[in-house]
């Protein structure tokens, strides 16, 4: 976690609109994540949080607006999206591990295909990242034999094995039993302490308060309020933020 802003933001979103059919899900979003920052996004179900995050690595195509990732315009059709995506690690609510591969293979496959690493090199990187998430002894296990918390830790290790410049987390603990949430959050906290740039869609207000550099509250496809997480959570300025927080805190 750092408060130092770099000249080129990691992520810069300007006037972003996204429609699904007639449904305008993002209504002119301006949003920024500086290098080394942890920015948390909270808000009610259906407010557009996941869609915003998914637009940032172009899992969704914006309808209009501009998104720069490390200064590169990913809304420009000329941009090599794969090259930009390879700098972004993504962690989903449902882990998205390959069920027919063991843990080590899960961590190696994209390294081999995208990074063109040799098998030995990929295994070495995978093992270092498995150690980081405390799962070295599980390299031969299949996802179905791991707890949800362990699967999510493997998913984080897999993303880290691609040496990303930044990590996007889409409700990474929402599918976990409560007793497993802390393990995943503590790994995310360690990553933040190492200076990883992170955008985190979450319902974990404690994490946002403790680890976040900024907090954005979304409702109805707009960012209603944004600021220091401790300040927003303790003293929200907008009625919609107050109403939401009164239900979840
Ligand atoms: N692929 C899609 N096709 C059509 N509508 C979609 C699609 N993805 C999302 N939506 C709609 O967009 C709106 C915003 O969804 P989104 O998942 O971004 O919200 P969210 O704030 O992340 O909600 P949650 O906290 O429940 O995940 C919802 O009305 C949802 O139904």
């Amino acid at each position: 976690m750092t408060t130092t802003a770099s000249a080129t933001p990691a992520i810069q979103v300007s006037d972003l609109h996204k429609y699904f059919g007639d449904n305008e899900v993002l209504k002119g979003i301006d949003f920024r994540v500086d290098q080394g920052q942890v920015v948390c996004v909270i808000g009610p179900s259906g407010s557009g949080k996941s869609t915003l995050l998914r637009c940032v690595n172009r899992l969704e195509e914006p309808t209009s607006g501009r998104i720069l990732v490390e200064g590169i315009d990913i809304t420009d059709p000329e941009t090599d999206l794969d090259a930009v995506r390879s700098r972004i690690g993504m962690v989903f609510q449902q882990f998205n591990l390959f069920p027919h591969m063991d843990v080590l293979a899960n961590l190696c496959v994209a390294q081999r295909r995208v990074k063109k690493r040799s098998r030995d090199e990929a295994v070495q990187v995978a093992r270092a990242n498995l150690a980081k998430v405390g799962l070295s002894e599980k390299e031969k296990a299949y996802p179905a034999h791991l707890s949800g918390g362990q699967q999510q830790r493997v998913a984080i290790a897999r993303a880290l094995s691609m040496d990303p410049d930044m990590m996007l987390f889409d409700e990474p603990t929402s599918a976990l039993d409560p007793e497993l949430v802390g393990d995943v959050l503590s790994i995310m906290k360690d990553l933040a302490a190492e200076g990883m740039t992170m955008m985190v869609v979450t319902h974990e207000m404690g994490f946002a308060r403790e680890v976040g550099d900024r907090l954005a509250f979304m409702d109805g496809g707009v960012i209603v309020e944004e600021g220091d997480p401790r300040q927003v959570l303790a003293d929200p300025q907008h009625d919609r933020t107050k109403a939401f927080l009164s239900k979840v805190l």
Side-chain angles (χ1 to χ4, degrees):
M1 180 165 65
T2 170
T3 51
T4 316
S6 132
T8 306
I11 301 166
Q12 174 103 54
V13 173
S14 314
D15 198 22
L16 178 67
H17 293 257
K18 173 67 183 173
Y19 283 81
F20 290 110
D22 292 339
N23 186 12
E24 188 179 18
V25 171
L26 299 178
K27 301 175 180 170
I29 300 279
D30 294 300
F31 180 79
R32 172 182 171 133
V33 181
D34 284 317
Q35 310 265 1
Q37 269 194 332
V38 177
V39 179
C40 295
V41 181
I42 63 168
S45 180
S47 55
K49 306 179 298 293
S50 295
T51 304
L52 170 61
L53 185 117
R54 291 166 65 82
C55 283
V56 169
N57 69 352
R58 289 294 306 271
L59 289 174
E60 296 291 353
E61 187 174 358
T63 307
S64 66
R66 227 167 152 226
I67 303 174
L68 305 185
V69 172
E70 294 177 330
I72 299 167
D73 186 351
I74 62 163
T75 48
D76 179 345
E78 302 284 307
T79 297
D80 178 356
L81 278 184
D82 287 340
V84 178
R85 272 202 200 104
S86 72
R87 303 179 187 193
I88 304 175
M90 179 86 192
V91 175
F92 300 89
Q93 184 176 346
Q94 295 296 343
F95 327 133
N96 291 11
L97 298 177
F98 301 116
H100 58 289
M101 291 182 189
D102 68 18
V103 164
L104 199 59
N106 261 283
L107 266 66
C108 288
V109 64
Q111 291 192 64
R112 302 269 282 133
R113 276 191 203 148
V114 180
K115 295 269 179 193
K116 311 287 181 212
R117 287 183 179 145
S118 70
R119 192 182 180 282
D120 284 354
E121 196 186 353
V123 167
Q124 201 181 343
V125 172
R127 286 191 172 138
N129 284 302
L130 275 181
K132 197 167 183 168
V133 301
L135 288 176
S136 295
E137 78 286 7
K138 297 290 184 190
E139 69 173 50
K140 291 283 166 227
Y142 281 80
H145 297 138
L146 300 175
S147 71
Q150 288 171 333
Q151 289 188 58
Q152 194 58 297
R153 284 151 66 194
V154 170
I156 293 172
R158 180 173 65 175
L160 291 174
S161 295
M162 300 297 284
D163 303 327
D165 293 347
M166 66 192 78
M167 295 275 284
L168 311 185
F169 292 86
D170 192 359
E171 299 193 26
T173 59
S174 294
L176 301 180
D177 291 335
E179 72 272 21
L180 303 176
V181 168
D183 291 345
V184 171
L185 292 181
S186 103
I187 287 165
M188 292 169 62
K189 192 174 156 185
D190 290 348
L191 280 178
E194 288 171 15
M196 177 63 79
T197 304
M198 293 163 54
M199 176 176 171
V200 185
V201 172
T202 187
H203 296 292
E204 295 292 335
M205 303 301 161
F207 177 86
R209 188 185 290 110
E210 195 187 340
V211 182
D213 294 300
R214 283 210 344 276
L215 178 68
F217 169 67
M218 277 187 81
D219 194 10
V222 297
I223 293 179
V224 173
E225 184 165 348
E226 192 174 1
D228 180 284
R230 288 143 293 271
Q231 214 159 353
V232 173
L233 292 171
D235 185 22
Q237 298 300 301
H238 200 288
D239 285 346
R240 285 154 81 182
T241 325
K242 285 180 196 165
F244 175 73
L245 292 177
S246 72
K247 287 186 211 140
V248 299
L249 286 180

